[in-house]
Amino acid sequence: MGRRGIVLMGLAVLAMALLAGCGGSSGGQGAHLNFWAYNEPGGTFAGAAKRCTQQSGGRYTIEFHALGNDPDTQRQQLVRRLAAKDSSIDIMSMDVIWTAEFAEAGWIKPWPQAAADKVKQGTLKGPLDTATYQGKLYAAPANSNTQLLWYRKDLVKGEAPKTWDDLIATAEKMPKAGRIEIQGAQYEGITVWFNSLIQSAGGQILDGPDKVSLAPQPTEAALGVMAKLANSKAADPSLSSQKEDQNRLAFETGQAAFQVNYPFIYPSAKENAPDLFKNLGWAPYPAVKNPADAGRKAPIGGFNWGVGGYTKHPQEAFDAATCMRDEENQKEFALKGGLPPTLAALYDNKEFVKAYPFAPLIRKELQDAAVRPQTPLYSDVSLAIYKTISPPASIDPKSTAAKLRDRVKNALESKGLL
């Protein structure tokens, strides 16, 4: 190869390097953004990526990559790449309990003020709280979720019970189907239950990201509710192994008059148990005390969009993530994917309200929901909780509360005594 050929080849290599340095632009289509999220069965996340790509006018292209279906697998897949400072993670779906961990590790970027202000506008307070860590917005709430008390109107006369005590007493008096379905297995679901109970009783698990709270009175009140239900006639005999879907199935087969669960049970009952569906009622999440005297804190779940800490296209990624949680896309998430919106305005949308007749109640609960502890060590804290309070029938409120304080403290100190 002559000198001219060598020079030309060098220029070609330089040009390729410059293109790569521009972050994978292809065919003049602007920035190439990789969006990692679980494969929502309705295809709505992939659909949002496609719509926002079209709306960007060539500024960016969003490529959808499917993560595993369960949150633990999704987290493992993301953490493995983020720990290696993988710049190909531009946007990711994050369970609401990951915000503090990912922010503290530098795996997600805080949102610039202008972009954060845009996200906050019209977003419900509960979902926003899940995306905020130490006063900064680290993610855009894309969808949310909460639990309601579902009941059979053909078996429950009058108003639905308002407190846990009333609920248990009502179920125990019923001549048939006097059961309450709730998540009692040793997993995240029972931590969700305990977190809502303690906040409803006026307490909290942590005081900040690294300090145990668990004040005696509200902790023992919360544990007392769990023990009372677990040792009553109203408990499902399989409570200690029950998760959301087992609750749904037990309710649909007529074994229970009540279940505390997420709204996915509504379309399921409509399809699988049409006769029962005709008598399906819903009510607010039960309170620990008289609802006139104490706050009522329902669980909150859902997913937020985070921007990768090592992305080469932060501005385009923030813009694309904002687009993928706008009204049009959140409406698709809700109607096709069964995922409640985080934008307040959608709860007045006629099409949404027709599909979700309980929408006003969901909006009310999400506005002041029981957000789980925001700590980088959340996984360890939750493990300490659900190991300690399982099975719920074994709970002795006073001694279990003391054990819980010790174990949560150890989890925060990474002592690994579990």
Side-chain angles (χ1 to χ4, degrees):
M1 183 181 293
R3 183 176 179 184
R4 177 181 168 79
I6 293 172
V7 170
L8 289 174
M9 179 176 288
L11 289 172
V13 170
L14 177 61
M16 291 175 66
L18 287 172
L19 280 174
C22 288
S25 298
S26 60
Q29 295 301 308
H32 184 102
L33 302 175
N34 295 293
F35 171 40
W36 300 81
Y38 75 91
N39 198 15
E40 191 282 303
T44 59
F45 293 173
K50 187 176 180 181
R51 270 190 297 278
C52 289
T53 293
Q54 293 169 345
Q55 291 170 16
S56 79
R59 186 162 164 257
Y60 54 75
T61 300
I62 309 169
E63 183 177 359
F64 176 77
H65 300 272
L67 295 171
N69 285 330
D70 71 273
D72 287 342
T73 303
Q74 294 158 28
R75 180 181 170 279
Q76 287 172 9
Q77 289 177 292
L78 289 173
V79 166
R80 193 177 298 128
R81 302 180 72 118
L82 290 166
K85 300 186 178 182
D86 188 338
S87 64
S88 74
I89 299 183
D90 299 295
I91 307 168
M92 71 197 93
S93 68
M94 300 165 50
D95 192 303
V96 293
I97 57 178
W98 300 346
T99 306
E101 178 190 9
F102 281 36
E104 194 70 33
W107 294 337
I108 50 175
K109 290 183 178 294
W111 282 58
Q113 192 61 53
D117 289 344
K118 192 171 182 180
V119 166
K120 291 176 183 176
Q121 192 171 10
T123 301
L124 294 167
K125 180 179 178 298
L128 263 183
D129 287 345
T130 69
T132 303
Y133 178 60
Q134 295 191 332
K136 292 182 180 178
L137 188 72
Y138 275 92
N143 57 71
S144 195
N145 220 337
T146 190
Q147 293 189 343
L148 307 180
L149 172 63
W150 305 89
Y151 65 98
R152 286 178 54 177
K153 290 188 287 188
D154 57 326
L155 298 178
V156 180
K157 306 304 177 190
E159 289 188 357
K162 292 182 170 59
T163 67
W164 286 98
D165 283 345
D166 290 344
L167 176 58
I168 295 168
T170 301
E172 285 189 312
K173 291 175 186 171
M174 298 177 83
K176 65 174 185 176
R179 286 185 189 169
I180 303 164
E181 296 294 328
I182 192 164
Q183 303 82 54
Q186 190 181 100
Y187 79 122
E188 179 66 20
I190 196 169
T191 299
V192 170
W193 183 19
F194 173 70
N195 183 60
S196 291
L197 289 174
I198 190 172
Q199 290 198 32
S200 295
Q204 54 189 344
I205 295 169
L206 300 186
D207 183 11
D210 55 6
K211 186 178 178 183
V212 179
S213 180
L214 292 170
Q217 193 278 328
T219 304
E220 291 171 24
L223 293 171
V225 168
M226 302 177 93
K228 184 175 182 178
L229 172 56
N231 292 293
S232 75
K233 291 194 301 182
D236 187 304
S238 302
L239 173 63
S240 62
S241 61
Q242 291 270 310
K243 298 183 179 180
E244 291 87 349
D245 211 42
Q246 286 83 27
N247 299 148
R248 174 188 66 83
L249 289 170
F251 188 80
E252 287 181 359
T253 53
Q255 299 173 36
F258 300 99
Q259 70 168 319
V260 179
N261 214 334
Y262 295 99
F264 80 100
I265 70 100
Y266 185 78
S268 176
K270 187 176 184 179
E271 181 174 344
N272 300 329
D275 289 339
L276 182 149
F277 180 77
K278 294 173 187 171
N279 289 299
L280 181 60
W282 53 86
Y285 194 84
V288 171
K289 302 176 184 176
N290 186 321
D293 300 329
R296 185 198 302 271
K297 295 277 192 175
I300 182 169
F303 279 84
N304 302 326
W305 300 156
V307 169
Y310 310 104
T311 175
K312 294 178 180 176
H313 310 286
Q315 187 57 58
E316 290 88 349
F318 283 121
D319 292 346
T322 302
C323 175
M324 289 195 295
R325 48 90 63 186
D326 66 10
E327 280 195 27
E328 181 184 7
N329 287 311
Q330 288 207 29
K331 186 177 168 186
E332 288 286 293
F333 302 160
L335 296 179
K336 294 183 179 176
L339 303 170
T342 64
L343 294 170
L346 279 171
Y347 288 85
D348 296 321
N349 179 282
K350 289 181 180 177
E351 192 177 0
F352 174 64
V353 173
K354 184 178 180 182
Y356 283 69
F358 37 84
L361 181 53
I362 291 180
R363 173 169 54 185
K364 186 177 180 182
E365 290 198 348
L366 289 178
Q367 190 65 23
D368 190 26
V371 175
R372 280 165 277 175
Q374 293 172 301
T375 171
L377 294 165
Y378 179 79
S379 296
D380 293 336
V381 169
S382 180
L383 179 66
I385 293 169
Y386 63 69
K387 287 270 188 180
T388 306
I389 62 179
S390 299
S394 70
I395 291 173
D396 172 72
K398 199 170 186 66
S399 63
T400 303
K403 189 183 296 182
L404 195 56
R405 278 188 284 275
D406 287 343
R407 289 188 169 181
V408 171
K409 183 173 181 292
N410 287 339
L412 290 173
E413 295 173 356
S414 300
K415 289 186 176 177
L417 297 179
L418 295 169

